[in-house]
Amino acid sequence: KSVKIYIHEVVLSYSRKKYWNYSLSITSEDIIRAICLGINYFNGVPLELVIDNPKQMIITHRKDGVVRYNDDFLRFCGLYGIEPSPCRNYRARTKGKVERPFYYIQEHLLRGLELNEISEFDNKLNEFMEGYNLRLHSSLKESPDNRFEKESPNLREIPVVEPQILHKRETRKVTNDGYVSFDGSFYPVPMKRCLSELWVESFLGRIIKIYEPSGELISSFWINPFDKGIRPVHPEHKIINEVYAAKKREIKNALVTRFITLFGSVGEGYIAGLREATGANTYWHLSQILACCEVYTTEVISEVLKECIKVGAYHKNSVLRLLKPYSLKAIPSCLPFSHHGLHVEGVSRPLAFYAGIKEVCHE
């Protein structure tokens, strides 16, 4: 599949030092963020910003020179103290300053470039940018990095701006299974945040960042431009599932171990036939047969299991039917009556037990 990317370029007028970045969307937020990243790269703020007239920054640019700016872009310029200077429509001299630099990256990097995944483009673009700023400029006969040493003192200090003021963050409620929904996809967050509200921020349309209400970054994810509706495996779910699976295996192994301990080789033979006959229900049948040990002796049940193996009857109902003719195990006698009533210390079998064995009791 093909995906469209948008290249952003910020270039200083004197040194020609350049900063490139890219996004997978082209909103006003993406352009503002790209310029902010360029300012951070230069470690200084210029006095003026020459721009074209994209709708993300300029709403109207009349012939008489009156300009109506996008509110978000105007807020950014005010916070950083930058004077925006949109080029006059259809004036090649100023528009060329904005459009011409993209021809260089198109011819020297993008043409014929092959990538296995979009994240590789970060390294390619950074290597290209560093190489450009180090090479000798054909017109200036000096590298942009060398000229930048003279230009950098003229850049103003970067002001401290709260990120929430400059970059839009949306609130999202965490689902009860620990996911945040954004643009049709789901992203896992710590389970302790279930049903709480978090901040979600899109970074250049290619990374989603999730923040605590306090502003602390919780996690970030690359946005897949090809697939919508993705739902990666929650890391905490994976741990819980592994613990639960281990517990189930432990319970099953305990049933098998107890069965073989009580009935020896007869039990092993019966389990082998039971597995073949009942599959995944093997352990349920074992638990039902083991419950009979409360009312029948081990010797009696062992004889019944031998009979079941002989006739190939591998089912708990077969065991229960064959046990009916046998006498029940003796129940421990109770202590004598006292003036306080019946002492029950010697009774170890709860009454609820009889509800589960009514099928095997004599009338």
Coordinates of all heavy atoms in Angstrom, one line a residue, residues 94-169:
T94 N 9.2 35.9 -3.9 CA 9.1 35.5 -2.5 C 8.6 34.0 -2.5 O 9.0 33.2 -1.6 CB 8.1 36.4 -1.7 OG1 6.9 36.5 -2.5 CG2 8.7 37.7 -1.5
K95 N 7.7 33.6 -3.4 CA 7.2 32.3 -3.4 C 8.3 31.3 -3.7 O 8.3 30.2 -3.2 CB 6.1 32.1 -4.4 CG 4.7 32.7 -3.9 CD 3.6 32.4 -4.9 CE 3.3 31.0 -5.0 NZ 2.6 30.5 -3.8
G96 N 9.3 31.7 -4.5 CA 10.4 30.8 -4.8 C 11.2 30.5 -3.6 O 11.8 29.4 -3.5
K97 N 11.4 31.4 -2.6 CA 12.1 31.2 -1.4 C 11.5 30.1 -0.6 O 12.2 29.4 0.1 CB 12.2 32.5 -0.6 CG 13.1 33.6 -1.2 CD 13.1 34.8 -0.3 CE 14.0 35.9 -0.9 NZ 14.1 37.1 0.0
V98 N 10.2 30.0 -0.7 CA 9.4 29.0 0.1 C 9.4 27.7 -0.6 O 9.5 26.6 0.0 CB 8.0 29.5 0.4 CG1 7.2 28.5 1.1 CG2 8.1 30.8 1.2
E99 N 9.2 27.7 -1.9 CA 8.9 26.5 -2.7 C 10.2 25.8 -3.2 O 10.3 24.6 -3.3 CB 8.0 26.7 -3.9 CG 6.6 27.2 -3.4 CD 5.7 27.6 -4.6 OE1 6.2 27.6 -5.7 OE2 4.5 27.8 -4.3
R100 N 11.2 26.6 -3.7 CA 12.3 26.1 -4.3 C 13.1 25.1 -3.5 O 13.6 24.1 -4.0 CB 13.3 27.2 -4.8 CG 14.5 26.8 -5.5 CD 14.2 26.1 -6.8 NE 15.4 25.6 -7.5 CZ 15.4 24.9 -8.6 NH1 14.3 24.6 -9.1 NH2 16.6 24.6 -9.1
P101 N 13.3 25.3 -2.1 CA 14.1 24.4 -1.3 C 13.6 22.9 -1.3 O 14.4 22.0 -1.2 CB 14.1 25.0 0.1 CG 13.8 26.4 -0.1 CD 12.9 26.5 -1.3
F102 N 12.3 22.7 -1.6 CA 11.8 21.4 -1.6 C 12.3 20.6 -2.8 O 12.3 19.3 -2.8 CB 10.3 21.4 -1.5 CG 9.7 21.8 -0.2 CD1 9.3 23.1 0.0 CD2 9.6 20.9 0.8 CE1 8.9 23.5 1.2 CE2 9.1 21.3 2.1 CZ 8.8 22.6 2.3
Y103 N 12.7 21.3 -3.8 CA 13.2 20.6 -5.0 C 14.5 19.8 -4.7 O 14.7 18.7 -5.2 CB 13.5 21.6 -6.1 CG 14.1 21.0 -7.4 CD1 13.3 20.3 -8.3 CD2 15.5 21.1 -7.6 CE1 13.9 19.8 -9.5 CE2 16.0 20.5 -8.8 CZ 15.2 19.9 -9.7 OH 15.8 19.3 -10.8
Y104 N 15.3 20.4 -3.8 CA 16.6 19.8 -3.5 C 16.4 18.4 -2.8 O 17.0 17.4 -3.2 CB 17.4 20.7 -2.6 CG 18.8 20.1 -2.3 CD1 19.9 20.3 -3.1 CD2 19.0 19.4 -1.1 CE1 21.1 19.8 -2.8 CE2 20.2 18.9 -0.7 CZ 21.3 19.1 -1.6 OH 22.5 18.6 -1.3
I105 N 15.5 18.4 -1.8 CA 15.3 17.1 -1.1 C 14.5 16.1 -1.9 O 14.7 14.9 -1.8 CB 14.5 17.4 0.3 CG1 14.5 16.2 1.1 CG2 13.1 17.9 0.0 CD1 13.9 16.4 2.5
Q106 N 13.7 16.6 -2.8 CA 13.0 15.7 -3.7 C 14.0 15.0 -4.6 O 13.9 13.8 -4.8 CB 12.0 16.5 -4.6 CG 11.3 15.7 -5.6 CD 10.4 16.5 -6.5 OE1 9.7 17.4 -6.0 NE2 10.4 16.3 -7.8
E107 N 14.9 15.7 -5.2 CA 15.9 15.1 -6.2 C 17.0 14.3 -5.5 O 17.5 13.3 -6.0 CB 16.5 16.2 -7.0 CG 15.5 16.9 -7.9 CD 14.8 15.9 -8.9 OE1 15.6 15.1 -9.5 OE2 13.6 16.0 -9.1
H108 N 17.4 14.7 -4.3 CA 18.6 14.1 -3.7 C 18.3 13.1 -2.6 O 19.2 12.4 -2.1 CB 19.5 15.2 -3.1 CG 20.2 16.1 -4.1 ND1 19.5 17.2 -4.7 CD2 21.4 16.0 -4.7 CE1 20.3 17.7 -5.6 NE2 21.4 17.1 -5.6
L109 N 17.0 13.0 -2.2 CA 16.7 12.0 -1.1 C 15.5 11.2 -1.5 O 15.5 10.0 -1.5 CB 16.4 12.7 0.2 CG 15.9 11.8 1.3 CD1 17.0 10.8 1.7 CD2 15.4 12.6 2.5
L110 N 14.4 11.8 -1.9 CA 13.1 11.1 -2.1 C 13.1 10.3 -3.4 O 12.6 9.2 -3.4 CB 12.0 12.1 -2.1 CG 11.8 12.9 -0.8 CD1 10.6 13.8 -1.0 CD2 11.6 12.0 0.4
R111 N 13.7 10.8 -4.5 CA 13.6 10.1 -5.7 C 14.4 8.7 -5.7 O 15.5 8.7 -5.4 CB 14.2 11.0 -6.9 CG 13.8 10.4 -8.2 CD 14.3 11.4 -9.3 NE 13.6 12.7 -9.3 CZ 12.4 12.9 -9.7 NH1 11.6 11.9 -10.2 NH2 11.9 14.1 -9.6
G112 N 13.6 7.7 -5.9 CA 14.2 6.3 -5.9 C 14.4 5.7 -4.5 O 15.0 4.6 -4.4
L113 N 14.0 6.4 -3.5 CA 14.2 5.9 -2.1 C 13.2 4.8 -1.8 O 12.0 4.8 -2.1 CB 13.9 7.1 -1.1 CG 14.0 6.7 0.4 CD1 15.5 6.3 0.7 CD2 13.6 7.9 1.3
E114 N 13.7 3.7 -1.2 CA 12.9 2.5 -0.9 C 13.1 2.3 0.6 O 14.2 2.3 1.2 CB 13.4 1.3 -1.6 CG 13.1 1.4 -3.1 CD 13.5 0.1 -3.9 OE1 13.9 -0.9 -3.2 OE2 13.3 0.0 -5.1
L115 N 11.9 2.0 1.3 CA 11.9 1.8 2.7 C 11.1 0.6 3.0 O 10.1 0.3 2.3 CB 11.3 3.0 3.4 CG 12.0 4.4 3.3 CD1 11.1 5.5 3.8 CD2 13.4 4.3 4.0
N116 N 11.4 -0.2 4.1 CA 10.6 -1.3 4.5 C 9.5 -0.9 5.4 O 8.4 -1.5 5.4 CB 11.5 -2.3 5.2 CG 12.5 -3.0 4.4 OD1 12.2 -3.3 3.2 ND2 13.7 -3.2 4.9
E117 N 9.7 0.2 6.1 CA 8.6 0.8 7.0 C 8.9 2.2 7.2 O 10.0 2.7 7.0 CB 8.5 0.0 8.3 CG 9.8 0.0 9.1 CD 9.7 -0.9 10.3 OE1 9.2 -2.0 10.2 OE2 10.2 -0.4 11.4
I118 N 7.8 3.0 7.5 CA 7.9 4.4 7.6 C 8.8 4.9 8.7 O 9.5 5.9 8.5 CB 6.5 5.0 7.8 CG1 5.6 4.7 6.6 CG2 6.5 6.5 8.1 CD1 4.1 5.1 6.8
S119 N 8.9 4.2 9.8 CA 9.8 4.6 10.9 C 11.3 4.7 10.4 O 12.0 5.4 11.0 CB 9.7 3.6 12.0 OG 10.0 2.3 11.6
E120 N 11.7 4.0 9.3 CA 13.0 4.1 8.8 C 13.3 5.5 8.2 O 14.5 5.9 8.1 CB 13.3 3.0 7.7 CG 13.3 1.6 8.2 CD 13.5 0.6 7.1 OE1 14.0 1.1 6.0 OE2 13.3 -0.6 7.3
F121 N 12.2 6.2 7.8 CA 12.4 7.5 7.2 C 13.0 8.5 8.2 O 13.7 9.4 7.7 CB 11.1 8.0 6.6 CG 11.2 9.2 5.7 CD1 12.0 9.1 4.6 CD2 10.6 10.3 6.0 CE1 12.2 10.2 3.7 CE2 10.7 11.4 5.2 CZ 11.5 11.4 4.0
D122 N 12.8 8.3 9.5 CA 13.4 9.2 10.5 C 14.9 9.2 10.3 O 15.5 10.3 10.2 CB 13.0 8.7 11.9 CG 11.7 9.3 12.3 OD1 11.3 10.4 11.8 OD2 11.0 8.7 13.2
N123 N 15.5 8.1 10.3 CA 17.0 8.0 10.2 C 17.5 8.6 8.9 O 18.5 9.3 8.9 CB 17.5 6.6 10.4 CG 17.2 6.1 11.8 OD1 17.1 6.8 12.8 ND2 17.0 4.8 11.9
K124 N 16.8 8.2 7.8 CA 17.2 8.7 6.5 C 17.2 10.2 6.4 O 18.1 10.8 5.9 CB 16.3 8.1 5.4 CG 16.4 6.6 5.3 CD 17.6 6.2 4.5 CE 17.6 4.7 4.2 NZ 18.9 4.3 3.5
L125 N 16.1 10.8 7.0 CA 15.9 12.2 6.9 C 17.0 12.9 7.8 O 17.5 14.0 7.4 CB 14.5 12.6 7.3 CG 14.0 14.0 7.0 CD1 14.1 14.3 5.6 CD2 12.6 14.2 7.5
N126 N 17.2 12.4 9.0 CA 18.2 13.0 9.9 C 19.6 13.0 9.3 O 20.4 13.9 9.4 CB 18.2 12.3 11.2 CG 16.9 12.7 12.0 OD1 16.4 13.7 11.9 ND2 16.5 11.8 12.9
E127 N 20.0 11.8 8.7 CA 21.3 11.7 8.0 C 21.4 12.7 6.9 O 22.5 13.3 6.7 CB 21.5 10.3 7.5 CG 21.7 9.2 8.6 CD 21.7 7.8 8.1 OE1 21.7 7.7 6.8 OE2 21.8 6.9 8.9
F128 N 20.4 12.8 6.1 CA 20.4 13.7 5.0 C 20.5 15.2 5.5 O 21.3 16.0 4.9 CB 19.1 13.6 4.1 CG 19.0 14.5 2.9 CD1 19.7 14.2 1.8 CD2 18.3 15.6 3.0 CE1 19.7 15.0 0.7 CE2 18.2 16.5 1.9 CZ 18.9 16.1 0.7
M129 N 19.8 15.5 6.5 CA 19.8 16.9 7.1 C 21.2 17.2 7.6 O 21.7 18.3 7.3 CB 18.8 17.0 8.2 CG 18.7 18.3 8.9 SD 17.3 18.5 10.0 CE 17.7 17.2 11.2
E130 N 21.8 16.3 8.4 CA 23.1 16.6 8.9 C 24.2 16.7 7.8 O 25.1 17.6 7.9 CB 23.5 15.5 9.9 CG 22.7 15.3 11.1 CD 22.6 16.6 12.0 OE1 23.7 17.3 12.0 OE2 21.6 16.9 12.6
G131 N 24.0 15.9 6.8 CA 25.0 15.9 5.6 C 24.8 17.2 4.9 O 25.8 17.8 4.5
Y132 N 23.6 17.7 4.7 CA 23.4 19.0 4.0 C 24.0 20.1 4.7 O 24.7 21.0 4.1 CB 21.9 19.2 3.8 CG 21.6 20.6 3.2 CD1 21.7 20.8 1.8 CD2 21.3 21.7 4.0 CE1 21.4 22.0 1.3 CE2 21.1 22.9 3.5 CZ 21.2 23.1 2.1 OH 20.9 24.4 1.6
N133 N 23.8 20.2 6.0 CA 24.3 21.3 6.8 C 25.8 21.3 7.0 O 26.4 22.4 7.3 CB 23.6 21.3 8.2 CG 22.1 21.7 8.2 OD1 21.7 22.5 7.3 ND2 21.4 21.1 9.1
L134 N 26.5 20.2 6.7 CA 27.9 20.1 6.8 C 28.6 20.4 5.4 O 29.7 20.8 5.4 CB 28.4 18.8 7.3 CG 28.2 18.5 8.8 CD1 28.5 17.0 9.0 CD2 29.1 19.4 9.6
R135 N 27.8 20.2 4.3 CA 28.5 20.3 3.0 C 28.6 21.8 2.6 O 28.0 22.7 3.2 CB 27.6 19.6 2.0 CG 26.2 20.2 1.7 CD 25.5 19.5 0.7 NE 25.9 19.8 -0.6 CZ 25.4 20.9 -1.3 NH1 24.6 21.7 -0.7 NH2 25.8 21.2 -2.5
L136 N 29.5 22.1 1.7 CA 29.8 23.4 1.2 C 28.7 23.9 0.4 O 28.2 23.2 -0.6 CB 31.1 23.4 0.4 CG 31.7 24.8 0.1 CD1 32.3 25.4 1.4 CD2 32.8 24.7 -0.9
H137 N 28.1 25.1 0.7 CA 27.0 25.6 -0.1 C 27.6 26.2 -1.4 O 28.6 26.9 -1.5 CB 26.3 26.8 0.7 CG 25.0 27.2 0.2 ND1 24.8 28.0 -0.9 CD2 23.7 26.8 0.6 CE1 23.6 28.2 -1.2 NE2 22.9 27.5 -0.3
S138 N 26.9 25.8 -2.5 CA 27.4 26.2 -3.9 C 27.5 27.7 -4.1 O 28.4 28.2 -4.8 CB 26.6 25.5 -5.0 OG 25.2 25.9 -4.8
S139 N 26.5 28.4 -3.5 CA 26.5 29.9 -3.8 C 27.3 30.6 -2.7 O 28.0 31.6 -3.0 CB 25.1 30.4 -3.8 OG 24.3 29.8 -4.8
L140 N 27.2 30.2 -1.4 CA 27.8 30.9 -0.3 C 29.3 30.5 -0.1 O 30.0 31.2 0.6 CB 27.1 30.7 1.0 CG 25.6 31.1 0.9 CD1 24.9 30.7 2.2 CD2 25.4 32.6 0.7
K141 N 29.7 29.4 -0.7 CA 31.1 28.9 -0.6 C 31.5 28.7 0.8 O 32.6 28.8 1.2 CB 32.1 29.9 -1.3 CG 31.8 30.2 -2.7 CD 31.7 29.0 -3.6 CE 31.3 29.3 -5.0 NZ 31.1 28.2 -5.9
E142 N 30.5 28.3 1.6 CA 30.7 28.0 3.0 C 29.6 27.1 3.5 O 28.5 27.1 3.0 CB 30.7 29.4 3.8 CG 31.2 29.2 5.2 CD 31.3 30.6 5.9 OE1 30.9 31.6 5.3 OE2 31.7 30.7 7.1
S143 N 29.9 26.2 4.5 CA 28.9 25.3 4.9 C 27.8 26.0 5.8 O 28.2 27.0 6.5 CB 29.5 24.2 5.7 OG 30.0 24.6 6.9
P144 N 26.6 25.6 5.8 CA 25.6 26.2 6.6 C 25.9 26.2 8.1 O 25.6 27.1 8.9 CB 24.3 25.4 6.3 CG 24.5 24.9 5.0 CD 26.0 24.7 4.8
D145 N 26.6 25.1 8.6 CA 27.0 25.0 10.0 C 28.0 26.1 10.4 O 27.9 26.6 11.5 CB 27.5 23.6 10.3 CG 26.4 22.6 10.5 OD1 25.3 23.0 10.7 OD2 26.7 21.4 10.6
N146 N 28.9 26.4 9.4 CA 29.9 27.4 9.7 C 29.3 28.8 9.8 O 29.6 29.6 10.7 CB 31.0 27.4 8.7 CG 32.0 26.2 8.8 OD1 32.0 25.6 9.9 ND2 32.7 25.8 7.8
R147 N 28.4 29.1 8.9 CA 27.7 30.4 8.9 C 26.8 30.5 10.1 O 26.5 31.6 10.5 CB 26.9 30.6 7.6 CG 27.9 30.8 6.4 CD 27.1 30.9 5.1 NE 26.2 32.1 5.0 CZ 26.6 33.3 4.6 NH1 27.9 33.5 4.2 NH2 25.8 34.3 4.5
F148 N 26.2 29.4 10.5 CA 25.3 29.4 11.6 C 26.0 29.9 12.9 O 25.3 30.5 13.8 CB 24.7 28.0 11.9 CG 23.8 27.9 13.0 CD1 22.5 28.5 12.9 CD2 24.1 27.2 14.2 CE1 21.6 28.4 14.0 CE2 23.2 27.2 15.2 CZ 22.0 27.8 15.1
E149 N 27.3 29.7 13.0 CA 28.0 30.2 14.2 C 27.9 31.7 14.3 O 27.9 32.3 15.4 CB 29.5 29.7 14.1 CG 29.6 28.2 14.3 CD 31.1 27.8 14.2 OE1 32.0 28.7 14.1 OE2 31.4 26.6 14.2
K150 N 27.9 32.4 13.1 CA 27.8 33.8 13.1 C 26.3 34.3 13.3 O 26.0 35.3 13.9 CB 28.3 34.4 11.8 CG 29.7 34.0 11.5 CD 30.0 34.4 10.0 CE 31.3 33.7 9.5 NZ 31.6 34.0 8.1
E151 N 25.4 33.4 12.9 CA 24.0 33.8 12.9 C 23.3 33.5 14.2 O 22.4 34.2 14.7 CB 23.2 33.0 11.8 CG 21.8 33.4 11.6 CD 21.1 32.7 10.5 OE1 21.5 31.5 10.3 OE2 20.2 33.2 9.9
S152 N 23.7 32.5 14.9 CA 23.1 32.0 16.1 C 22.9 33.1 17.2 O 21.9 33.1 17.9 CB 23.7 30.8 16.7 OG 25.1 31.0 17.0
P153 N 23.9 34.0 17.4 CA 23.8 35.0 18.4 C 22.6 36.0 18.2 O 22.1 36.7 19.1 CB 25.1 35.8 18.4 CG 26.1 34.8 17.8 CD 25.3 34.0 16.8
N154 N 22.1 36.0 16.9 CA 21.0 36.9 16.6 C 19.7 36.3 16.8 O 18.6 37.0 16.7 CB 21.1 37.3 15.1 CG 22.4 38.2 14.8 OD1 22.6 39.2 15.5 ND2 23.2 37.7 13.9
L155 N 19.7 35.0 17.1 CA 18.4 34.3 17.5 C 18.1 34.6 18.9 O 18.9 34.7 19.8 CB 18.5 32.8 17.2 CG 18.8 32.4 15.8 CD1 19.0 30.9 15.7 CD2 17.7 32.8 14.8
R156 N 16.8 34.8 19.1 CA 16.3 35.1 20.5 C 16.1 33.8 21.3 O 15.9 32.7 20.7 CB 15.0 35.9 20.5 CG 15.2 37.3 19.9 CD 13.9 38.1 19.9 NE 13.0 37.5 18.9 CZ 11.9 36.8 19.2 NH1 11.6 36.6 20.4 NH2 11.1 36.4 18.2
E157 N 16.2 33.9 22.6 CA 16.0 32.8 23.5 C 14.6 32.2 23.3 O 13.6 32.9 23.2 CB 16.2 33.2 24.9 CG 16.2 32.0 25.9 CD 16.5 32.5 27.4 OE1 16.8 33.7 27.5 OE2 16.3 31.7 28.3
I158 N 14.5 30.9 23.4 CA 13.2 30.2 23.2 C 12.4 30.4 24.5 O 12.8 30.1 25.6 CB 13.4 28.7 23.0 CG1 14.2 28.5 21.7 CG2 12.0 28.0 22.9 CD1 14.6 27.0 21.5
P159 N 11.2 31.0 24.4 CA 10.3 31.2 25.6 C 9.8 29.9 26.1 O 9.7 28.9 25.4 CB 9.2 32.1 25.1 CG 9.1 31.7 23.6 CD 10.5 31.4 23.2
V160 N 9.5 29.9 27.4 CA 8.9 28.8 28.1 C 7.3 28.8 27.8 O 6.7 29.8 28.2 CB 9.2 28.7 29.6 CG1 8.5 27.5 30.2 CG2 10.7 28.7 29.8
V161 N 6.8 27.8 27.1 CA 5.4 27.8 26.8 C 4.8 26.5 27.2 O 5.4 25.4 27.0 CB 5.2 27.9 25.2 CG1 3.7 27.9 24.9 CG2 5.8 29.3 24.8
E162 N 3.7 26.5 27.9 CA 3.0 25.3 28.3 C 2.6 24.5 27.1 O 1.9 25.1 26.2 CB 1.8 25.6 29.2 CG 2.1 26.0 30.6 CD 2.7 24.8 31.4 OE1 2.3 23.7 31.1 OE2 3.5 25.1 32.3
P163 N 3.0 23.2 27.0 CA 2.6 22.5 25.8 C 1.1 22.4 25.6 O 0.6 22.4 24.4 CB 3.2 21.1 26.1 CG 4.3 21.3 27.1 CD 3.8 22.5 27.9
Q164 N 0.3 22.3 26.6 CA -1.1 22.2 26.5 C -1.7 23.5 25.8 O -2.8 23.4 25.2 CB -1.8 22.0 27.8 CG -1.5 20.7 28.5 CD -0.3 20.8 29.4 OE1 0.6 21.6 29.2 NE2 -0.2 19.9 30.4
I165 N -1.1 24.6 25.9 CA -1.5 25.9 25.3 C -1.3 25.8 23.8 O -2.1 26.3 23.0 CB -0.9 27.1 25.9 CG1 -1.2 27.2 27.4 CG2 -1.3 28.4 25.2 CD1 -0.5 28.3 28.1
L166 N -0.2 25.3 23.4 CA 0.3 25.3 22.0 C -0.2 24.1 21.2 O -0.6 24.3 20.1 CB 1.8 25.4 22.0 CG 2.4 25.8 20.6 CD1 1.9 27.2 20.2 CD2 3.9 25.8 20.8
H167 N -0.2 23.0 21.8 CA -0.5 21.7 21.1 C -1.8 21.1 21.7 O -1.9 21.0 22.9 CB 0.6 20.7 21.2 CG 1.9 21.3 20.8 ND1 2.2 21.7 19.5 CD2 3.1 21.4 21.5 CE1 3.4 22.1 19.4 NE2 4.0 22.0 20.6
K168 N -2.7 20.9 20.8 CA -4.1 20.4 21.2 C -4.0 19.0 21.8 O -3.3 18.1 21.3 CB -5.0 20.4 20.0 CG -5.4 21.8 19.5 CD -6.4 21.7 18.4 CE -6.7 23.1 17.9 NZ -7.7 23.0 16.8
R169 N -4.7 18.8 22.9 CA -4.8 17.5 23.6 C -6.3 17.2 23.8 O -7.0 18.1 24.3 CB -4.0 17.4 24.9 CG -2.5 17.5 24.7 CD -1.8 17.4 26.0 NE -0.4 17.5 25.9 CZ 0.5 17.5 26.8 NH1 0.1 17.4 28.1 NH2 1.8 17.6 26.6

